[in-house]
Amino acid sequence: MQGLMMNSPLTITSMMEFADKIHSDTEIVSVTSDNPRHRHTFSDAFKRVRKLANALQKLGAEKEDCIATLAWNDYRHFEIYYAVSCSGMVCHTINPRLFPEQVEYIINHADDQFILLDVAFLPLLEQLDGKIPSVKGIIVMTDAANMPETTLTNVYCYESLLESESEEFSWPDIDEMDASALCYTSGTTGNPKGVLYTHRSTVLHTFAACLSDVMGLASDDVVMPIVPMFHVNAWGLPYVSAVVGNKLVFPGAKMADGEVLTSLINDEGVTYSAGVPTVWLALLKYLETSGKTIDSLQAVIVGGAACPLSILEEFEDKHNVYTHVAWGMTEMSPLGTFNPKLDREALGESEYARMRVKAGRCIYGVDLKIVDDNNVELPWDGEAFGALKVKGPWVCSSYFKLEESDAHDADGWFDTGDVATIDSLGFMQITDRSKDVIKSGGEWISSIDLENTAVDHPSVLEAAVIGMPHEKWTERPLLLVIKKEGAELSKEEMLAFFKGKVASWWIPSDCLFVDELAHTATGKLSKKDLREQFKDYTFPS
Ligand code: ADP
């Protein structure tokens, strides 16, 4: 017997209409290329969303079209998210940090019809002129006064397009399984792969993100998403904020600028933010050298890469900011696990430190498991580590326009490519990417644990550990370190620092000091490039 409850579709339109009605006076503050502090409200934004929907329709954009963005976090990007998805089109956010050939591949693969972009990315698109035939028009996200010269044709000005449009738009009915947004993984091996979100997956992900042991935001919070809107929808914050009604502060292109971030936090009363570890390093460094404080900030999320304990401690002990570690990926919208606020007193210092660096606890809605090489499930004892697989309504079921997915098994589990442990309370800890694990004498060594330990040394700015061939042990860890400016640190001192902190046979067999370390377009250490760079290295005998 079926139940007798309404089957209302879970759509982004419903979140937008709710925000427009209930949180109409919520403020959005943005840094853009044409205004260092633009302000408007949800009500203003959604009026402009309707104008944009009209403008796109007039230009010939149709239901199911992919409409791309190449843009920083700001109010126009927020408006595009809603205008495109709620019109039944697909908002395809492109990461401008990818190589031009990858951007070209992605635009052609998605068959993008229009591209909305920040002035700063016009040169990138000029390089692709003639190579992206599906694109019918380019909309520059600025006003007439700031429109740049360009060699491209079919170029429109965002504000001029909106000017003459009506504030009324009749939103189409949308099936909750319709595609809403598209984001490509950075494709460290092979071409980038598209993850096509649905309205339903986005709404359910938003509900989960709103849980109090997850983001736990309230309407009196002020949220600054530093994680880019061009990669995995800024971890869902533009949707969460619409439902919660918290004020939004968008830093535009200034995402790694400690000074701008500090003044935004202080001027706008930011209480909550989200970003990758490198962003927090930049902010903490600025605070240390300037002596400034960030009194309004209560909590931040760190994710996208493993975060050293030193960042968590510095935030809490010097600035009274709680840091939540979260884990997820493009294929997961992205939230998979979230480390909730832990009780420092009850846990005691060492247990507190051990627990809080973990990638976090399972979120209702995502099933996790770890398996061995034979796909046999491993125990949740915090010790056994294996390939991490996931299932759930906001996990991709296959990739866009790719028939075959070697990441999904016959039972529908998605292999994340991460290697992890899970403890009896459901706290998961990533030990490595599966392609980066180091196997020494048949036993696995976690490169992430070693990197985090190295970064806890006061003279170390950044560290990477890669597995290199070894005569006796097949593979041994090689530590690569960037020292902090002016710091004195010898190889012996660095390696001795690991004693007592990790198993003795985990201690890297050698350490090299370097000036820089290769990163991917999403800011993660690129182990593939590092292994290539050091391919001729041999361990001292
Ligand atoms: P990409 O496009 O590079 O795949 P994603 O943002 O999808 O970008 O990256 C997801 C990967 O990032 C995860 O599979 C994991 O390896 C890594 N990652 C994310 N969060 C964490 C975390 N808290 N700790 C360790 N690694 C993480």
Side-chain angles (χ1 to χ4, degrees), residues 10 12 20 23 36 55 84-85 115 154 157 200 331 339 394 402 409 443 450 460 493 507 535 537:
L10 304 175
I12 295 173
D20 198 13
H23 303 303
V84 171
S85 300
I115 301 179
N154 291 334
C157 165
R200 179 175 189 267
E331 288 88 336
N339 206 322
W394 57 86
L402 274 184
D409 68 20
E443 299 280 352
L450 294 177
V460 173
E493 190 188 339
I507 298 177
K535 66 177 191 295
Y537 170 88

Side-chain angles (χ1 to χ4, degrees), residues 26-299:
T26 295
E27 206 182 5
I28 304 178
V29 180
S30 307
V31 177
T32 65
S33 61
D34 51 38
N35 190 340
R37 224 40 92 84
H38 177 275
R39 292 171 190 279
H40 71 351
T41 62
F42 275 9
S43 172
D44 301 327
F46 293 123
K47 263 183 212 142
R48 288 163 52 84
V49 165
R50 295 191 289 273
K51 281 170 168 257
L52 178 59
N54 277 312
L56 288 170
Q57 200 174 53
K58 229 171 251 171
L59 287 174
E62 290 177 0
K63 197 162 189 273
E64 297 193 0
D65 278 354
C66 284
I67 310 292
T69 65
L70 271 164
W72 298 113
N73 293 7
D74 68 23
Y75 69 103
R76 293 191 183 106
H77 207 171
F78 177 88
E79 292 162 2
I80 297 163
Y81 264 42
Y82 285 94
V84 171
S85 300
C86 300
S87 297
M89 301 183 287
V90 179
C91 182
H92 173 201
T93 53
I94 302 177
N95 182 346
R97 293 188 184 128
L98 294 172
F99 295 116
E101 307 79 58
Q102 286 179 314
V103 175
E104 177 189 335
Y105 169 83
I106 286 175
I107 293 172
N108 287 325
H109 187 264
D111 200 29
D112 288 329
Q113 301 293 306
F114 289 89
I115 301 179
L116 293 103
L117 85 179
D118 278 339
V119 174
F121 303 124
L122 210 50
L124 169 62
L125 223 54
E126 281 168 349
Q127 281 183 59
L128 304 184
D129 198 11
K131 297 178 182 164
I132 42 175
S134 63
V135 178
K136 294 179 190 142
I138 290 154
I139 303 170
V140 185
M141 294 159 63
T142 189
D143 53 20
N146 290 289
M147 270 301 276
E149 294 279 318
T150 175
T151 52
L152 295 168
T153 49
N154 291 334
V155 176
Y156 306 89
C157 165
Y158 187 95
E159 293 301 332
S160 307
L161 277 182
L162 260 58
E163 226 164 55
S164 54
E165 290 303 336
S166 158
E167 283 176 8
E168 301 302 318
F169 187 80
S170 168
W171 298 108
D173 286 338
I174 282 173
D175 183 307
E176 64 178 18
M177 287 303 284
D178 281 351
S180 60
L182 175 65
C183 180
Y184 281 74
T185 64
S186 49
T188 39
T189 49
N191 278 324
K193 289 184 274 204
V195 178
L196 191 60
Y197 307 109
T198 62
H199 281 261
R200 179 175 189 267
S201 69
T202 309
V203 172
L204 292 174
H205 181 265
T206 304
F207 272 126
C210 287
L211 293 171
S212 42
D213 263 354
V214 187
M215 292 183 186
L217 293 167
S219 57
D220 59 356
D221 272 308
V222 179
V223 178
M224 177 162 70
I226 308 180
V227 50
M229 290 173 76
F230 59 69
H231 195 60
V232 215
N233 302 323
W235 297 347
L237 281 166
Y239 304 116
V240 170
S241 300
V243 170
V244 169
N246 55 261
K247 172 174 163 183
L248 271 166
V249 179
F250 288 125
K254 305 290 184 182
M255 309 221 269
D257 185 325
E259 188 174 357
V260 174
L261 295 180
T262 302
S263 68
L264 282 171
I265 293 170
N266 290 326
D267 299 350
E268 305 301 333
V270 171
T271 60
Y272 200 90
S273 187
V276 295
T278 41
V279 161
W280 300 134
L281 273 176
L283 177 64
L284 290 170
K285 190 172 169 203
Y286 173 75
L287 293 173
E288 191 179 333
T289 46
S290 67
K292 293 213 168 124
T293 56
I294 39 170
D295 300 337
S296 62
L297 194 64
Q298 293 163 12

